[in-house]
Amino acid sequence: MSTLKAQIQNICPQAAFSHEDTDTLHAEVSPKELAGLFKHLKTDKTFLFDYMEDLIGMDFGEKLGVIYRFYSTENKQRIVLICQAESREKPELPSATPWWGIANFYEREVYDFFGIIFIGHPDMRRLFLRNDWVGYPLRKDYDASPEINPVRLDAEPMDDIAPSYSEKDGKIEEEDNLRFQKDEYVVNIGPQHPATHGVLHFQVSLEGETVKKVDVHCGYIHRGIEKMCESLTYPQTIGYTDRLDYLSAHQNRHALCACIEEAMGLEIPRRAQYIRALMDELSRIQSHLLMYACYCMDLGALTPFFYAFRDREKILNIFEDSGAGRLIQNYYVIGGVSRDLHPDFVKKTAEFIKYLPTVLPEYHKVFTGNVIFQQRSKGIGILTREQAISNGVTGPAARASGWACDLRKHQPYSVYDEVEFNEIIRTGGDCFDRYMVRMDEIHESIAIIDQLLAKLPEGDYCAKTKPVIKLPEGRYFKSVETARGEFGVFIESRGEKYPWRLKFHPPCLPLVSVVDLLTRGGKIADLISIGASLDYVVPDIDR
Amino acid sequence: MEIKKPKIKGLPYNEFKDNEYIEELRRNGVGVIVGVLDELINWGRSNSVWPLTFATSCCGIEFMSIGAARYDFARFGFEVTRASPRQADVIMVAGTIVTKMAPVLLRLYEQMADPKYVVAVGNCAISGGPFTNSYHVVQGVDKILPVDVFIPGCPTRPEALLYGMMQLQRKIKLEHFFGEVNKKEPKSHQMPAIYPGEEPVFAEKYKQHPILANAAQNRPQADTKQAETKAE
Ligand code: SF4
């Protein structure tokens, strides 16, 4: 820790440090020093921060700025950088895009919400909102009156020009870059297309059937959850997590509840911990089953869809028995879970985990071995380990590329350090491996549930909390492993009932950011297979 | 006037009685021959409602599960989900509609062939649901499209979805097909933006649309006549 501090002080003499007694050092640097620091962070042997965990835009009150979270997969250390732009009228910061692939999307998001311009970013357009949107919604002084931004029913103007900014002799210059050349053949896929898994819009430039470039447009389901959370009390905010990635609803909620509990210093009962882990794993299984159903359907096989949904319903029944919802479960609360398990829960779950392994071979028989599937997935859309880390891809997609990043194993939360399971790792990085990782993870989840059921303790299912929850001042971060990767929650509290800023780190935004990388040079039909194997959920991208 | 009882398998007629507006559709009576033909065609139409595969968020997953074996909407003739709006009869708006999506949704609706229906699935589609205070969410699809059936829930349960779709069937069964539903579409015109406090756009555009609840206002003469006869 102290060496890290000394090294950063070497590069940025004016940096201010905090949180030195914890395991994550926080350093506040000025925008001028930041540009130079990026290179060192990425390449210096002592740092090697290759994974950008998150990039959080912030309105600090007086100034706008950004909080970076970096992690080094090599040295297993973490650092938080804070940087505030100098002026509020024209906030400018150096871009991190040359060093981390995912910075491209993150910085566009920050530009969209806060209006911070990143110097050196190749494509400074809005990511979520319409091009003609007025104002930057996550600023504290944003005027949300509907007169300024009415519901427009004319088509969104889409320019072929993307601006970028560069610095020359101390002056900021704007340049226009052409996204597609005049003679390029561009096909629009989405926002209403069954294979985009929701409302996502791809602009695909083609040469014959070969994809030259994919430009992703998000925001067709951007619901402004983060802004709404700023005016809600903590117990109210947890309702929105379920609606992000609705297939990992339990896990998302787990992250936010755990983050708030940690900040409050609340110890939750053992039984509640076990219940949460059990529900998390059940919901992982149902999410993977749905992935299987959708993947098959996208490639034209309809029967497997019925198989997967038949078994998924069994899990939903188990949820419902205990008082959770079918899809949006609303089950976890701050301090534990809302109701105790149904008396039949253990029996039914035990039955289910006995039953599922007997039908999984059937799944593989009907689909996995199929020649068409094999040809459309093997060797298609290869993501290397370096690309996965640089683009912030986590979860099954990253594990298929050989990056061991399962948070349940490497930063165990809840009771995951008390159970034995294998982290499924494959090294091919293609669609087939991404698919197989998920199918194999179902077996691991079954193993986890089996152990948890045997150990399930008696006792309280919820800790007592005060009716009004106030978090002490500070910044809190917590992440869990959902069915799609690392889902993080960042809370900045100023000691009030409401969070000052609440940011969700979605696992699906990195997934969709690599679509361009994976499809380039492939056939257009591969785009469908790649999209299905990445298994993103669009409301989670857009929040 | 006594109205005809539409026959729908499996659900007692009494359970439908809570919806008075449907009665409006049959208020004026019909000629015998046209009425019989209407019935025949409506019988066919109501049992082969083809939905558009359209879902923006969570509620869409429940839409998928009614397609699967447990709830199986094939029993009612809804199973032919179409990916192209040209071939669809009904658009089930499942999920939140945000500002950026609104023009796309309107365009999808306009691409569908008449007669066409809109079902608002879930609280989000009805009023913006949990996101109604957001800066980027449309507060209900009825601001953009004329909605036939609202199905509440967050998410709607599959049973509720089926019930809602059966309400739509019942509505289709009672429509006048000839001279109303098979009429030409109104001409499209430039779409303005919706400012707060203004009438929803479709009010102007789809005034002639026969299945709208407010379509009754376009027949004031018939209304008063009937009122008079009742008074007598
Ligand atoms: S009504 Fe609820 S479940 Fe449906 S889309 Fe809206 S938030 Fe999701």
Side-chain angles (χ1 to χ4, degrees), chain A residues 223 243 328, chain B residues 57-59 95-96 122-124 130-131 153-155:
Chain A
R223 306 189 270 203
R243 277 122 184 130
I328 306 284
Chain B
S57 48
C58 346
C59 280
T96 328
N123 295 354
C124 281
F131 309 103
C154 183

